[in-house]
Amino acid sequence: MTIPSSTAGLAARRSPALAFAALVTLGMAVTVGTALGFEHLGGYIPCALCLMQREPYYFGIPVGLLAMLSAAFGLPRWLTQLLLIVIVVMMLVGAGIGVYHAGAEWGFWEGPSSCSTTAQGISSNVGDLLGDLDSKHGPSCTTAALRVLGLSFAGWNVLASLALAGVAALGVAKAR
């Protein structure tokens, strides 16, 4: 006796690209969601390079959703493959930014001279707002806010970006 499987399960078996597109999109959402959690729940104010590292995720998630739709609706394989290739490139760019940021944190090279944000501790009092904008500065890009197992947020982003690029690349290969 066989148990009928769900429609999503059948679609994933018919199209491995759909499974890979869903996995990479979920991975991007979890990764950037974790960064946002550390910021908003953990109180870690991001520097300018931290914010820049998030951009491939912000652009990649909608591209991943398009890849999922393309695979789910049986659009031409080349379209799904192209969308997954775009994700590979975005994640490699994100990894590159992460390598640059981690290298600046370790002192291997200089970080950007303008690397700070103004989001830290701004008052909600309108009278003090302009004064706070002039006196408050975000963290430096050359100082790691936290290291876990020896890696900063930038280092973990490099690993996550490379892993997600690999998942998307497997999706391209399996969509053939």
Side-chain angles (χ1 to χ4, degrees), residues 6-174:
S6 69
T7 307
L10 289 173
R13 273 185 287 203
R14 282 191 310 231
S15 173
L18 175 60
F20 282 100
L23 183 61
V24 75
T25 303
L26 178 64
M28 289 185 293
V30 167
T31 302
V32 79
T34 301
L36 290 168
F38 273 103
E39 177 183 351
H40 295 288
L41 300 175
Y44 290 93
I45 305 299
C47 69
L49 281 176
C50 292
L51 294 173
M52 190 181 296
Q53 288 175 81
R54 295 178 188 179
E55 290 180 12
Y57 296 97
Y58 294 148
F59 292 112
I61 291 169
V63 174
L65 291 172
L66 289 174
M68 289 170 59
L69 290 172
S70 173
F73 287 111
L75 297 178
R77 276 191 207 141
W78 65 264
L79 179 59
T80 305
Q81 288 175 318
L82 178 65
L83 292 166
L84 289 170
I85 288 169
V86 168
I87 292 172
V88 170
V89 171
M90 282 192 249
M91 292 297 99
L92 291 176
V93 167
I97 297 168
V99 166
Y100 173 68
H101 189 185
E105 289 173 342
W106 284 105
F108 296 148
W109 45 75
E110 299 261 339
S113 61
S114 62
C115 192
S116 67
T117 62
T118 57
Q120 183 177 2
I122 295 177
S123 173
S124 60
N125 182 347
V126 176
D128 294 336
L129 187 59
L130 290 177
D132 279 352
L133 286 174
D134 290 333
S135 67
K136 302 290 183 184
H137 300 284
S140 169
C141 293
T142 58
T143 305
L146 174 70
R147 290 193 189 274
V148 177
L149 301 176
L151 292 178
S152 66
F153 290 129
W156 285 106
N157 178 59
V158 171
L159 296 178
S161 294
L162 291 175
L164 292 168
V167 170
L170 281 172
V172 172
K174 298 289 185 181

